[in-house]
Amino acid sequence: MTTLLEAVRAGHPTKVPTLLKRLGPAERKTMLSELKTLRNELRQGDPSRWPSWRERSDVGAALLVAGAGCHTGAAAAALWLGSRDLRTVSGPPRDALVEVLKERDADWLGDVAHRLAARTSSAEEDYWLIRRLVDLSGCPVPATDGYVYGWINDLSRMRSGTLYRLRQRLTEDPQTPFLVPRLFETPQLPGPLAWYGDPDTPAHWPSVLVDLTENGVVERAVVVDACVARLLRGGKPGDLRFFLALLRRLELTGHEEAARVPDWLGMAADGPTSVATVAQGVLARLAETGALSTSALAEMSGAVLFRTEKKLVTAQLSLLGKVLRSHTQLRKKPGTKSATPTTDATDATDATNAVNRERAESSAAVHELLPVVAEAFGHEDVVIQGRALKVVSRHLLLADDDLREELAASAALLSPVHHAAAADLFGAVTVATDPSTHEELLPAVPEPIRLAPPATSVAELVAELSVVRGGTTDPCAFERALDGLVRLVHREPEALVAELRSAMANRWWLQSHLSRFADLDAHFERGVHAVDVVAAALLGRISDRAIRQVQNKAPAQSGCPHSGMAAITRARLWEAAQLVKDRSVPFLLSTPTWENGVLDPAVLVERLREYGRLGVEPAPADFAQALLRVASDDGEWDPGVTAEAAAGLGTEEGDRLALWLMGGGPFLAALHPGQEEDREPAESDSEGSLLRHPARATRRLLDRTRARRAIQREFPAGFRWLSRQVDPRHRHDYRCLMHYGNWQSVVPHWPTVVPHHREALASWLLPGLLETMVADIHDSDLRGGAWCLPRLAEGAARSGPAGQAMHRAIAAGLGVRVADDRLAAVDALLVTAARGHLNPALLGRELGELIAHGHLKPTRITDALSTAAATGAHRTVWSVLAGALPELLGAPKAARAVGGLLAVAADCVEQCGPRLITVGAGVAQEPATGPMEADRGVEGPTGFDPLDTSGADSPSRSEAAQATLVQPADTAQAEGGIPGLAELARRGGSSQAVTQAARLLAALR
């Protein structure tokens, strides 16, 4: 027994089977307890005993074999064999493992095999062992998902000649009849089945499966039923492509298709587009041959006509037209001739009765199908509405008065463009919507929510830290956890340290074998690790040198807002790490009062007063963050009174706060894109101007130098980048990413770091939004670029205007590639409109420019704006499109793809009327001059810079220019208020652009 344990400790698994044969049941039971002890030692990973991973791996392999031979129960043996901690990179010693197991009885081996197959985490990897146990025991084949995946992987391994022997191996494998049906029941398609898409490839699985059915290895009916059922169940597009390919290779007969009508109906109703198209084709063939009943066709049509895919709806209307045509011809068929002397009267009577039956059946079919066709009257596409109306008009006879009355009720759903044709067919048409009674539906204006107080007990704080561990996208949870750490370490340091050490025992940086400060410091110095940095410092896992060094670190990349904002967060975290080690402050000054990041000035004054009473010196980064969160004036409090209270504190920080509240603090250029301190509108920085006025140039240079020196003196290193303008064309790449980690974990904190500067934040988001807009050009799948826009719209301080940068960011977000990101931009659009901060005409101009110059795809904008209109914001969307369409109709390339936008505009005008939303007094206007005005009419990307928002905070445009931008519809009735619209509508033709232009023009008039 000692020899066996020594072999295991030495990592010799091949010696284990021979040594195990010498042990009896009692000795094996004793040995098992020794093996479990050794396993626990191996888990701890003591580097002094096993210095290399290879040694630990060898010991684990020997443990696996020895434990499998010592366990007497099947359940315990399966648990031991499936353990993750005993697995190695090179795999288990297969021969040795089988050698110790094959001596057991067949029932025991079968029980272990089925238990291993039921382990979802390891069954696929352990297929080889399970298969050997099945062969040794003769037990039934396991049918678990993991075993099926392992079977397919084993068949698809690239052994010599494997690809060309796949058919032969499947034919000879006794498991094939049992496992092939399971291929259609697994949650996901086994990967190797989709490796080869060429039908001529020997490993093309659809062709191989069809061969198996033809050779009788697997029953054809089983495969057909399983394939149809799998398509009905749905799944990932890649999985469905495989089953559709198999269905085509099976070439179902008409009888096989007719026997599965309910399945085809389900696919056509609820399946993905590719599956629904195939099901529709099958049902169409059955309908044309008479194998599909009228009730089934009506059920199918009702489901398909409700779908959004225009191709499916159009094809269904065509099918209904063909079926109805045959019924209408029977209804119009003349009666049989009268009996003649040579004609038997009985035969004539039978023929007449047969014709009457056919007429009655056709009439019943028409009465059942036409109401289904009328359901398409409410389709969002007016072209489809027109097709449905034509089908009804062709097959509605004069004698169908009751049916005509029934269909007339559905005609109210038709677009106004079809009302004249509907009136000719049904008589007077009831209008479903009256634009004069339209009520604009916008989301409720979000009210500011007070930030919940920090944790007051150690247990509560530890629970919160478990939520924000390693980083969080919730800035409120981050702020509460950070403030709670500082407060409780000041009040209960010993209890907090003990509780944290216990709760975070599984963190890698608390492991005992990681004792070198250098490795831990290097890890925490890279990126932003949220409150983990503070907790690690409190528990003594970060050196004092690293804390001092990182606190004084400037942003890694000059001109990059991502690096700059990460530097602010990093400076606060590492300063808090120093504060908790020193236990020098009772609470943080910068914790916001509201969840949007705003800090009430009066609250900050009281916090400073408490600091003064306790003799506590404010921390530089904490106080700098507090200043960024207070505003000089938000319209709800008197800055003079609060500034006077701050100055009365008699401290340097109180004086700085008073000056900040009165608007006399340092000018932070990064937060005011395109502006300079004390810049007069008429001044110019041109070389000629500076040469003519050298004194003015010198004074300006001195002022800028003085302002920068004030920032250098008053703000810590992580905040000083705010004194310089951000480079709008900076592309944050891996050089930036390596310093702050995943940017999506940093950006959510932006609105709470500088809550009063929405325009700056929006301008910083633009490069990322533009990158996601063109992601498909580079064949990438960038996502998440627009999801921060709703936070900017909801969380911005009340005084923050929505200027050009915010409008352009929303415009860019509406055109990003991923649909979920476009929904985020739609939310931002609606919330901004609900708050009264939206300039629809300015947003429309931004959209028009971006589309006309090829930066946005019209189809994506159509999808986003139609979604916004579907919420009830018809007048808002129409006002946006009214600003975009003149630019688009004047650009030849864009005009060809503008049909979808015209359709959305027409839908909105038909719902709300032609009146536009005028710009409110609290909304930032578009600048009178700038790149948007200067580049009007210039084709190509060189004439328009989507990153240039230098006019975001410029003065309002003139009244005349604003009147041109936002004009009531009744001032230009002849052209519908949209230049170029009437010209497009007069071109003629059946294109979507022409059709929708005529429809919009009619609605405007």
Side-chain angles (χ1 to χ4, degrees):
M1 186 166 64
T2 305
T3 305
L4 175 60
L5 189 60
E6 291 175 352
V8 173
R9 288 183 179 276
H12 298 305
T14 56
K15 298 181 180 180
V16 171
T18 302
L19 296 173
L20 269 174
K21 292 179 181 179
R22 304 173 185 174
L23 304 181
E27 293 174 315
R28 293 192 180 195
K29 184 176 181 180
T30 303
M31 174 58 65
L32 185 59
S33 62
E34 297 287 343
L35 295 176
K36 290 181 179 179
T37 302
L38 179 59
R39 181 182 177 183
N40 290 333
E41 296 175 2
L42 189 66
R43 282 175 175 173
Q44 295 177 2
D46 187 355
S48 62
R49 299 190 60 183
W50 298 288
S52 69
W53 67 268
R54 187 177 297 277
E55 293 180 3
R56 291 193 297 270
S57 178
D58 292 341
V59 174
L63 264 175
L64 180 67
V65 177
C70 291
H71 276 93
T72 57
L79 187 63
W80 183 276
L81 290 169
S83 300
R84 282 288 175 189
D85 59 313
L86 298 179
R87 296 176 182 267
T88 62
V89 177
S90 58
R94 298 190 177 190
D95 294 338
L97 198 56
V98 173
E99 182 70 20
V100 301
L101 291 174
K102 69 180 182 181
E103 63 185 27
R104 303 297 184 95
D105 61 82
D107 292 340
W108 189 91
L109 292 175
D111 191 3
V112 171
H114 279 266
R115 289 178 182 275
L116 289 175
R119 293 176 63 89
T120 57
S121 60
S122 58
E124 182 178 354
E125 182 181 348
D126 291 340
Y127 167 78
W128 68 272
L129 176 60
I130 302 171
R131 177 66 186 269
R132 291 293 297 273
L133 295 178
V134 170
D135 293 341
L136 289 172
S137 64
C139 68
V141 177
T144 62
D145 295 336
Y147 189 76
V148 173
Y149 291 147
W151 179 60
I152 294 298
N153 291 337
D154 183 67
L155 288 170
S156 304
R157 284 196 173 90
M158 295 296 294
R159 303 187 186 97
S160 177
T162 296
L163 291 180
Y164 301 94
R165 295 183 57 248
L166 181 60
R167 287 176 171 81
Q168 179 183 349
R169 294 184 63 195
L170 282 169
T171 303
E172 297 172 353
D173 191 344
Q175 299 183 121
T176 298
F178 303 101
L179 295 183
V180 164
R182 285 286 294 124
L183 295 178
F184 304 89
E185 300 172 1
T186 56
Q188 296 179 356
L189 182 73
L193 268 61
W195 283 356
Y196 303 97
D198 185 359
D200 297 330
T201 303
H204 184 247
W205 272 90
S207 302
V208 172
L209 291 176
V210 172
D211 288 347
L212 293 177
T213 61
E214 293 175 351
N215 295 330
V217 179
V218 184
E219 294 184 18
R220 176 180 172 87
V222 172
V223 175
V224 172
D225 287 340
C227 184
V228 172
R230 185 63 177 81
L231 290 171
L232 180 61
R233 193 180 82 190
K236 295 181 179 180
D239 296 355
L240 296 179
R241 280 195 296 270
F242 170 82
F243 296 111
L244 288 173
L246 176 59
L247 188 67
R248 287 191 293 268
R249 298 288 294 180
L250 286 169
E251 297 179 352
L252 270 60
T253 64
H255 175 72
E256 289 174 327
E257 292 178 342
R260 297 168 176 83
V261 168
D263 296 328
W264 306 123
L265 291 175
M267 294 181 210
D270 303 317
T273 303
S274 58
V275 176
T277 302
V278 172
Q280 186 184 45
V282 172
L283 293 172
R285 288 194 295 272
L286 295 176
E288 292 173 359
T289 59
L292 187 68
S293 65
T294 301
S295 59
L297 177 60
E299 179 185 352
M300 167 202 179
S301 301
V304 174
L305 294 178
F306 187 74
R307 295 180 68 108
T308 58
E309 300 93 333
K310 295 179 183 179
K311 287 186 177 180
L312 288 176
V313 176
T314 302
Q316 193 65 26
L317 289 175
S318 300
L319 173 62
L320 288 170
K322 292 179 182 178
V323 175
L324 287 168
R325 188 181 305 115
S326 62
H327 289 303
T328 302
Q329 290 173 353
L330 285 174
R331 296 179 71 193
K332 294 180 178 179
K333 184 177 180 180
T336 58
K337 297 182 180 180
S338 302
T340 63
T342 59
T343 303
D344 188 356
T346 302
D347 294 340
T349 301
D350 292 341
T352 301
N353 291 337
V355 171
N356 290 336
R357 282 197 302 272
E358 290 179 349
R359 285 179 176 175
E361 292 174 356
S362 296
S363 179
V366 170
H367 278 67
E368 186 174 1
L369 292 178
L370 280 186
V372 177
V373 176
E375 292 181 8
F377 290 173
H379 196 276
E380 59 182 10
D381 190 347
V382 295
V383 176
I384 290 178
Q385 293 181 12
R387 288 178 180 268
L389 187 60
K390 288 181 180 179
V391 171
V392 171
S393 64
R394 288 170 184 163
H395 305 290
L396 186 64
L397 303 183
L398 294 176
D400 298 330
D401 292 335
D402 56 339
L403 181 58
R404 188 184 307 275
E405 183 178 353
E406 179 183 352
L407 298 178
S410 300
L413 301 175
L414 289 167
S415 170
V417 74
H418 298 304
H419 282 177
D424 294 340
L425 183 61
F426 304 114
V429 177
T430 304
V431 179
T433 58
D434 183 3
S436 62
T437 62
H438 171 75
E439 181 179 354
E440 190 77 354
L441 298 179
L442 292 172
V445 178
E447 293 292 332
I449 302 175
R450 280 195 172 273
L451 184 70
T456 56
S457 66
V458 172
E460 183 183 358
L461 175 62
V462 171
E464 289 185 1
L465 290 176
S466 65
V467 176
V468 300
R469 58 175 297 182
T472 176
T473 58
D474 183 4
C476 297
F478 169 78
E479 294 292 342
R480 293 181 70 253
L482 190 62
D483 191 28
L485 267 172
V486 173
R487 288 175 180 267
L488 284 173
V489 79
H490 190 76
R491 295 203 321 255
E492 307 175 49
E494 291 79 10
L496 178 59
V497 170
E499 191 69 23
L500 277 180
R501 194 175 297 279
S502 174
M504 297 185 174
N506 61 337
R507 305 289 177 93
W508 69 269
W509 42 265
L510 269 180
Q511 302 306 310
S512 57
H513 63 279
L514 295 174
S515 57
R516 293 196 307 167
F517 268 134
D519 295 338
L520 295 173
D521 291 349
H523 168 76
F524 283 110
E525 287 175 10
R526 292 191 299 268
V528 179
H529 299 279
V531 293
D532 267 12
V533 173
V534 186
L538 180 60
L539 298 178
R541 304 300 288 171
I542 301 179
S543 67
D544 293 337
R545 179 202 59 82
I547 294 177
R548 291 191 302 270
Q549 181 176 341
V550 179
Q551 284 187 73
N552 298 319
K553 183 179 291 187
Q557 293 291 318
S558 177
C560 174
H562 294 76
S563 295
M565 296 296 280
I568 290 178
T569 304
R570 184 187 298 111
R572 293 185 61 210
L573 285 170
W574 287 82
E575 183 182 78
Q578 184 68 59
L579 295 177
V580 297
K581 293 194 73 172
D582 298 341
R583 303 169 190 175
S584 55
V585 298
F587 52 82
L588 293 179
L589 295 173
S590 60
T591 305
T593 315
W594 306 92
E595 289 189 356
N596 60 10
V598 174
L599 174 59
D600 287 344
V603 173
L604 180 56
V605 170
E606 292 304 316
R607 290 176 182 175
L608 287 173
R609 180 174 284 116
E610 181 66 14
Y611 265 39
R613 188 184 68 80
L614 298 174
V616 175
E617 190 74 20
D622 186 31
F623 183 68
Q625 175 64 89
L627 289 180
L628 293 178
R629 284 177 169 163
V630 298
S632 57
D633 184 8
D634 66 355
E636 296 191 355
W637 52 275
D638 188 349
V641 174
T642 311
E644 184 178 355
L649 296 175
T651 62
E652 179 184 351
E653 286 75 17
D655 294 340
R656 286 177 58 190
L657 176 59
L659 186 63
W660 183 276
L661 294 176
M662 297 304 294
F667 179 74
L668 303 180
L671 301 180
H672 301 85
Q675 289 189 16
E676 293 185 12
E677 187 178 14
D678 299 329
R679 179 73 177 269
E680 298 179 9
E683 288 189 276
S684 173
D685 281 339
S686 64
E687 182 179 357
S689 175
L690 295 179
L691 290 175
R692 288 193 300 270
H693 304 283
R696 180 184 301 173
T698 303
R699 184 172 62 254
R700 185 179 305 162
L701 179 60
L702 291 175
D703 290 342
R704 293 178 184 175
T705 303
R706 188 179 300 109
R708 288 192 178 183
R709 293 196 63 178
I711 295 175
Q712 296 286 330
R713 182 177 62 256
E714 297 178 4
F715 286 84
F719 292 75
R720 292 169 188 166
W721 66 276
L722 293 172
S723 65
R724 300 181 299 273
Q725 288 284 351
V726 170
D727 182 5
R729 294 169 182 82
H730 174 80
R731 292 177 60 86
H732 51 279
D733 50 21
Y734 71 94
R735 291 170 297 182
C736 305
L737 193 65
M738 65 184 293
H739 293 284
Y740 59 82
N742 182 7
W743 71 275
Q744 291 184 351
S745 66
V746 178
V747 173
H749 294 260
W750 287 10
T752 58
V753 174
V754 283
H756 304 283
H757 299 278
R758 177 169 54 188
E759 283 302 288
L761 297 177
S763 67
W764 298 346
L765 285 174
L766 267 177
L769 289 170
L770 294 173
E771 192 171 357
T772 56
M773 286 190 321
V774 298
D776 47 341
I777 297 177
H778 306 292
D779 194 24
S780 60
D781 191 25
L782 293 176
R783 59 183 65 228
W787 65 276
C788 197
L789 289 177
R791 292 199 177 185
L792 291 184
E794 296 173 0
R798 297 182 181 180
S799 58
Q804 186 180 8
M806 184 62 184
H807 283 81
R808 187 168 294 180
I810 293 176
L814 294 173
V816 296
R817 182 185 187 189
V818 183
D820 289 343
D821 288 345
R822 293 199 293 272
L823 287 178
V826 170
D827 290 341
L829 164 65
L830 297 178
V831 171
T832 305
R835 300 185 68 173
H837 290 172
L838 182 70
N839 184 334
L842 174 56
L843 179 58
R845 286 282 303 279
E846 295 289 346
L847 285 172
E849 293 281 3
L850 289 170
I851 294 174
H853 291 85
H855 296 291
L856 291 181
K857 289 188 175 182
T859 53
R860 296 175 185 171
I861 302 300
T862 301
D863 173 71
L865 291 182
S866 62
T867 301
T871 65
H874 296 98
R875 180 162 283 119
T876 300
V877 174
W878 159 234
S879 300
V880 171
L881 285 172
L885 288 175
E887 181 70 30
L888 297 177
L889 296 177
K893 292 183 180 179
R896 290 194 293 268
V898 80
L901 293 173
L902 288 170
V904 176
D907 288 337
C908 292
V909 174
E910 290 171 356
Q911 293 290 328
C912 67
R915 186 171 61 85
L916 302 176
I917 295 177
T918 56
V919 180
V923 181
Q925 312 291 320
E926 186 183 5
T929 59
M932 304 291 284
E933 292 288 341
D935 296 324
R936 173 175 286 278
V938 179
E939 289 295 329
T942 58
F944 172 70
D945 184 0
L947 294 176
D948 186 356
T949 56
S950 57
D953 296 325
S954 301
S956 303
R957 63 163 53 229
S958 64
E959 295 182 3
Q962 182 63 24
T964 303
L965 182 63
V966 182
Q967 54 179 340
D970 56 8
T971 63
Q973 291 293 333
E975 291 292 325
I978 306 295
L981 182 63
E983 179 184 355
L984 177 60
R986 288 194 296 266
R987 290 182 185 176
S990 59
S991 67
Q992 185 188 28
V994 173
T995 302
Q996 299 298 337
R999 177 189 170 202
L1000 176 58
L1001 190 63
L1004 290 173
R1005 290 176 176 173

